[in-house]
Amino acid sequence: MTKAVWQPLLDAWTDREVIVADNQSDDTIEGFAQRLLDNAPPKFILIAHAMGGFVAFEVMRRAPERVAKLALISTLASADGPAQTARRQGYIDLVESGRFDQVVEERIPILFPEEKRRDERLLGIARQMAADTGADTFLTQQRAIMARIDSRPRLGEIRVPTLLIWGEKDGITSRAHHDEILDAIAGARLEVIPGAGHLPTVEAPELVLALLTEFIDELG
């Protein structure tokens, strides 16, 4: 995801040091994770959305001692199954045939619930995210995601306070995906955002901001 998905938080957290990780300069999940570690402070709170969750799990495997707290939004720990791989390959085929713009429109139904698919503000954010990413980076990211490992076997090794946030109408990740993570990480908790789809940071920014701020500021 691009900076657009984090903009409500960036606008609110002007008194905090916030670094948005580079997800465009590498071609593997492992590369994204190592670049994040190379550019992060010695100890930090890691907040990850969607593909960022795959990177976060790799960070936790490489340097768990550097992460103070972990927040995961709209993500999952398993590797792609056949249906997910086929969907991503369809996107790749469209991009390689010069129809990158069509990919964004095809993703609208899984990004947002039906009642929000005519919301011009949200549609504009989704289209801007695609424009910011660009076709070449999108292809690289999709291939990196398709090649990722299954993170579920090592979830139990995560020992930091962990918050999961999920939109109840997410068309990409499910409650079951989040329950897998919730059950595996000791002390983790799940917050469900009513009426939100895959992008709760822009669909319900005030609620997500409040949840994350409380989580960050909690003692312990």
Side-chain angles (χ1 to χ4, degrees):
M1 293 297 176
T2 68
K3 188 175 286 188
V5 79
W6 301 115
Q7 199 59 54
L9 307 183
L10 296 173
D11 291 343
W13 285 342
T14 55
D15 59 337
R16 302 172 187 261
E17 181 183 6
V18 180
I19 300 171
V20 178
D22 179 354
N23 65 357
Q24 300 193 7
S25 299
D26 297 278
D27 58 7
T28 64
I29 295 300
E30 293 81 5
F32 295 139
Q34 190 57 53
R35 185 176 297 273
L36 185 157
L37 287 166
D38 290 345
N39 290 280
K43 194 85 169 184
F44 57 94
I45 295 170
L46 181 54
I47 303 173
H49 173 271
M51 183 186 80
F54 311 149
V55 177
F57 293 133
E58 182 62 27
V59 167
M60 297 306 297
R61 287 189 286 271
R62 290 177 178 235
E65 73 284 353
R66 292 183 57 188
V67 179
K69 295 182 179 182
L70 176 64
L72 301 168
I73 306 170
S74 306
T75 195
L76 48 85
S78 58
D80 267 6
Q84 291 79 19
T85 296
R87 185 181 73 207
R88 295 189 202 284
Q89 187 59 53
Y91 296 154
I92 290 171
D93 293 344
L94 284 173
V95 175
E96 290 182 334
S97 65
R99 292 180 287 171
F100 179 51
D101 290 346
Q102 187 176 331
V103 172
V104 183
E105 304 311 312
E106 290 204 3
R107 284 175 61 82
I108 295 300
I110 60 174
L111 290 177
F112 303 118
E114 185 175 2
E115 62 271 19
K116 294 182 180 179
R117 293 173 197 163
R118 295 178 182 271
D119 186 319
E120 290 302 321
R121 181 185 72 86
L122 294 177
L123 294 178
I125 289 171
R127 290 166 181 151
Q128 186 60 54
M129 288 168 58
D132 291 344
T133 300
D136 290 343
T137 297
F138 178 82
L139 286 175
T140 300
Q141 291 177 346
Q142 290 302 304
R143 290 178 174 130
I145 291 170
M146 290 165 69
R148 75 187 188 279
I149 67 170
D150 187 342
S151 293
R152 291 175 296 180
R154 295 185 62 181
L155 288 177
E157 298 175 12
I158 297 175
R159 303 296 185 186
V160 298
T162 301
L163 172 67
L164 310 179
I165 296 177
W166 173 65
E168 67 170 351
K169 295 188 176 181
D170 190 337
I172 297 177
T173 68
S174 67
R175 175 63 185 260
H177 288 136
H178 288 77
D179 282 344
E180 280 187 323
I181 303 170
L182 183 68
D183 292 343
I185 300 177
R189 77 173 193 263
L190 171 65
E191 297 287 350
V192 178
I193 308 299
H198 190 61
L199 302 177
T201 56
V202 295
E203 294 175 67
E206 295 85 0
L207 180 52
V208 173
L209 176 63
L211 290 170
L212 288 173
T213 301
E214 179 184 34
F215 175 66
I216 290 169
D217 292 341
E218 285 174 348
L219 297 177

